Amino acid sequence: MGWLENPEFLSRIQFGFNAMFHILWPPLTIGLALVLFGLEAAWVKTRQPFYYHQVKFWTQLFLINFGVGVISGVPMEFAFGTNWAPFSTASGDFMGNILGFETAMAFMLEAGFLGVMLFGWERVGPKMHLFATAMVAFGSSLSAFWIMVANSWMQTPAGVKLVDGKFVITNWLHAVFNPDLPYGFGHMFVACIELSLVVMAGVSAYYLHQRRNAGFFQPAFKWAVLALVLVAPLQIFIGDSAGALLARTQPAKLAAIEAHWHTNQPGVGAPWALLAWPDQARQKNDWALTIPDGLSMIVTKTMTGKVVGLTHFKPDDQPPVWIPFYAFRVMVAAGVFVALLALWTVWLLWRQRKRMSPARIGENKWLLRGWMLGIPAIYAALEAGWMTREVGRQPWIVYGMMKTSAGASKLPADVVLWSLLLFMLFYGVIGFAALKFMARVLRRGPGFEIPPAIATRHERAAPAPAKPAITQGGH
């Protein structure tokens, strides 16, 4: 149990735990905010109460996730100062500004207009309310952008030089738009949209399976699935494109993800290990189920393309292999599952329209169960993807420039251990409460209150009714 006496390792566990808890919540708010904007725009345009009721129902899940996301996000920023003070001191000129931009530009914008979005239905006009919803959606997306700027810079640092242990900015444009940003932000942003659509489809499937409010949830289910037919393959395409970038910028991470130990010889393709039992101590796989030339084809799009192996790097500069290798495969399997499920559902919507109508869609028990299973699957993909990204970056906190061990604060191990245990307790309570609230929302179902009136252009242009004339002496 030597790790219990290692404050650096405990700090890594603590930050990793906090990050994995935190990432459960904001992605749904980012994707769902865009869905809410679309639904509310449809209500403002058509005046159909159906769209208003959709907005009101999904806003409840949005709000719960937003609240827990805020609560769990704040301690992570404090952790930079408590557990990672040397890193914060070294990178403060960049990281401090980027995280400040995220708070001032994005979070404040989102949080400010969220008040209008939640409490302004009867206080502002429909278009002003729609504008507030648009700002919430824009702010949440902008927040994701700045967070991914900071994280991508740690993956592929650019626009800086290390002077006396401190990162000095030499080119802000290069630092912000570092090589990983297009893929890192693109992959994360599309993941948020995909996760939200799967939650929307899965929750709708729950009601349809229960044969409750089919007229309300069948359209939501259909919209989500149709969007996923485009979004799920797009996510797979972005992930595949990121592999080529990894080969250029983080070859050790790519080798760990694929348990690829030895660089292939010229003219010989690198095999792709579908499954393996990596043995890092002996720098090889004890066994592996491989596809010949598969890794060269995936990474270089040629049968014999060169892929650098882990033994090219000193053991101290190699990331752990087990976690990135299997986390990556969990992410891919879940992503493919969602894509295939969406294609199957669209085929049924096209070929069996009567069976997929609101009156009969509840008969498709296995399809609806598949979509309910899609919710834990897509969250598993999210967590596994983040683990692949972060564990694969080790042992660097800033890839190739600063090791994680150099960025950790010198704290007593018992202090870090106790704070880790308290975080586990605190987040356990918060997570349990959030799940209870969401379960209550699902049990109650949608409400069908009368929406606020929307005056038409003709109604606004019509003259106001004349006031009764007051005659002398009259009252």
Side-chain angles (χ1 to χ4, degrees):
M1 303 292 280
W3 60 273
L4 289 174
E5 300 172 357
N6 185 338
E8 177 206 333
F9 186 76
L10 290 171
S11 289
R12 288 174 57 188
I13 295 289
Q14 179 174 305
F15 199 87
F17 172 78
N18 290 357
M20 292 190 67
F21 180 84
H22 175 66
I23 203 173
L24 288 170
W25 313 96
L28 184 63
T29 65
I30 294 168
L32 208 50
L34 296 170
V35 172
L36 291 174
F37 172 72
L39 291 170
E40 189 174 339
W43 173 61
V44 172
K45 182 174 177 58
T46 67
R47 306 176 65 184
Q48 292 184 24
F50 171 78
Y51 294 111
Y52 173 79
H53 297 146
Q54 288 279 349
V55 173
K56 295 291 282 185
F57 174 76
W58 297 108
T59 297
Q60 298 173 80
L61 298 182
F62 170 89
L63 185 59
I64 294 170
N65 279 265
F66 179 85
V68 181
V70 172
I71 293 170
S72 58
V74 172
M76 293 181 65
E77 299 216 14
F78 282 108
F80 284 115
T82 55
N83 296 59
W84 303 99
F87 167 67
S88 298
T89 302
S91 65
D93 287 352
F94 180 74
M95 294 290 286
N97 279 298
I98 297 301
L99 295 178
F101 292 158
E102 189 274 333
T103 302
M105 287 186 194
F107 177 71
M108 293 300 180
L109 177 71
E110 182 184 10
F113 278 100
L114 181 64
V116 180
M117 180 179 157
L118 294 178
F119 306 111
W121 287 104
E122 304 287 348
R123 295 176 173 82
V124 299
K127 290 186 178 178
M128 183 62 223
H129 193 278
L130 178 62
F131 177 74
T133 305
M135 289 299 99
V136 170
F138 177 65
S140 61
S141 299
L142 189 59
S143 176
F145 171 79
W146 286 119
I147 293 297
M148 290 311 300
V149 166
N151 184 268
S152 291
W153 179 81
M154 294 167 70
Q155 308 284 339
T156 55
V160 296
K161 60 181 180 180
L162 198 55
V163 179
D164 297 329
K166 189 169 183 178
F167 292 100
V168 177
I169 310 293
T170 57
N171 189 316
W172 268 102
L173 205 59
H174 290 175
V176 170
F177 295 96
N178 59 79
D180 181 71
L181 182 66
Y183 298 95
F185 173 67
H187 203 41
M188 191 68 218
F189 185 65
V190 175
C192 296
I193 296 173
E194 183 177 7
L195 181 141
S196 302
L197 292 172
V198 171
V199 169
M200 194 171 174
V203 169
S204 299
Y206 164 76
Y207 283 97
L208 296 172
H209 187 270
Q210 301 288 322
R211 297 180 185 272
R212 290 177 56 192
N213 304 107
F216 183 86
F217 285 105
Q218 192 267 0
F221 177 75
K222 188 168 66 174
W223 300 332
V225 170
L226 290 175
L228 278 167
V229 168
L230 300 176
V231 171
L234 174 63
Q235 179 70 324
I236 294 172
F237 172 76
I238 295 173
D240 177 67
S241 303
L245 176 76
L246 272 186
R248 295 195 305 272
T249 59
Q250 295 178 281
K253 177 196 277 189
L254 176 67
I257 289 172
E258 302 297 353
H260 177 59
W261 297 99
H262 303 287
T263 306
N264 53 310
Q265 298 297 317
V268 178
W272 183 55
L274 189 60
L275 294 173
W277 191 271
D279 186 340
Q280 193 145 11
R282 294 196 295 171
Q283 301 280 280
K284 71 183 194 65
N285 296 325
D286 287 347
W287 62 265
L289 177 63
T290 61
I291 298 175
D293 307 329
L295 187 56
S296 290
M297 193 65 204
I298 292 171
V299 175
T300 68
K301 310 307 178 194
T302 66
M303 298 297 284
T304 58
K306 178 182 175 182
V307 183
V308 176
L310 265 177
T311 55
H312 178 80
F313 306 93
K314 295 185 296 184
D316 288 346
D317 291 343
Q318 296 177 3
V321 175
W322 264 89
I323 293 177
F325 180 80
Y326 277 104
F328 177 75
R329 277 145 186 80
V330 169
M331 177 186 69
V332 171
V336 171
F337 170 73
V338 168
L340 293 178
L341 196 57
L343 289 173
W344 179 32
T345 308
V346 167
W347 187 87
L348 290 175
L349 287 168
W350 176 44
R351 300 295 296 179
Q352 300 187 26
R353 295 182 184 180
K354 289 185 179 178
R355 188 177 170 85
M356 296 295 284
S357 65
R360 294 188 56 194
I361 193 171
E363 298 174 11
N364 301 278
K365 296 293 185 185
W366 284 107
L367 175 72
L368 299 175
R369 287 169 184 154
W371 279 109
M372 286 188 274
L373 179 63
I375 295 178
I378 201 67
Y379 275 99
L382 183 75
E383 293 283 13
W386 198 251
M387 289 171 70
T388 304
R389 182 176 177 84
E390 296 306 301
V391 177
R393 194 190 64 229
Q394 300 303 320
W396 304 96
I397 195 168
V398 180
Y399 192 83
M401 299 187 75
M402 184 179 192
K403 289 212 167 175
T404 305
S405 56
S409 302
K410 307 299 181 188
L411 296 171
D414 58 338
V415 171
V416 186
L417 180 61
W418 274 110
S419 62
L420 170 62
L421 295 174
L422 288 173
F423 270 121
M424 288 179 171
L425 177 64
F426 181 57
Y427 285 167
V429 172
I430 292 175
F432 179 76
L435 292 176
K436 287 281 288 183
F437 280 123
M438 284 192 280
R440 183 179 298 176
V441 169
L442 295 182
R443 279 197 302 272
R444 187 169 57 230
F448 297 100
E449 67 269 31
I450 299 173
I454 302 177
T456 64
R457 183 182 300 175
H458 175 74
E459 290 167 343
R460 288 196 298 272
K467 294 181 179 179
I470 300 176
T471 57
Q472 190 173 7
H475 297 282

